[in-house]
Amino acid sequence: MREIGPGGRYQRRGTRGTIVLGESADIFEAGELLTTARRAVSDPKAAEVYVDLALTERIDLSAIQILLALRADLVAVGRGFAAINASNKLRKRLERAALPLLNN
């Protein structure tokens, strides 16, 4: 498996793109996360993009804002978005920020 960089790692299988985030997503990784999010949006073969939070223990508002912008960009062009595999603690924080999660 490829290493996860500071801004996560983007990969696509079929029509599903996935951004896998590392342990922390915060202001220090915001630039790299934005680059990764732009890569996902610009991938015309990805009908939906999931953000996999299985490894993520900490996320701050800067990263949440980037994920909200990613969702808005994808929805605007008729593509799907979901944040998946978050811990219960992280799930509650994201839900307070109106970021929907799948129950995976």
Side-chain angles (χ1 to χ4, degrees):
M1 179 168 40
R2 290 179 20 219
E3 185 175 318
I4 299 171
R9 178 185 71 230
Y10 177 72
Q11 59 194 25
R12 182 180 40 78
R13 290 200 177 172
T15 60
R16 178 182 294 167
T18 303
I19 296 173
V20 179
L21 295 184
E23 181 180 324
S24 176
D26 58 29
I27 189 70
F28 301 107
E29 290 89 22
E32 292 90 347
L33 177 56
L34 182 58
T35 299
T36 303
R38 286 180 176 157
R39 182 172 172 219
V41 169
S42 68
D43 182 353
K45 294 181 180 178
E48 58 189 356
V49 175
Y50 286 7
V51 178
D52 188 338
L53 301 162
L55 302 174
T56 308
E57 296 177 11
R58 295 179 310 280
I59 191 165
D60 74 0
L61 289 177
S62 64
I64 291 171
Q65 286 176 320
I66 291 168
L67 296 180
L68 288 169
L70 171 62
R71 180 182 70 175
D73 288 348
L74 292 167
V75 169
V77 294
R79 294 162 66 193
F81 170 87
I84 61 171
N85 299 326
S87 67
N88 285 335
K89 180 180 174 183
L90 193 59
R91 177 183 304 275
K92 289 176 185 174
R93 179 158 194 184
L94 293 173
E95 287 173 350
R96 285 193 301 266
L99 196 61
L101 298 172
L102 294 181
N103 292 322
N104 294 22

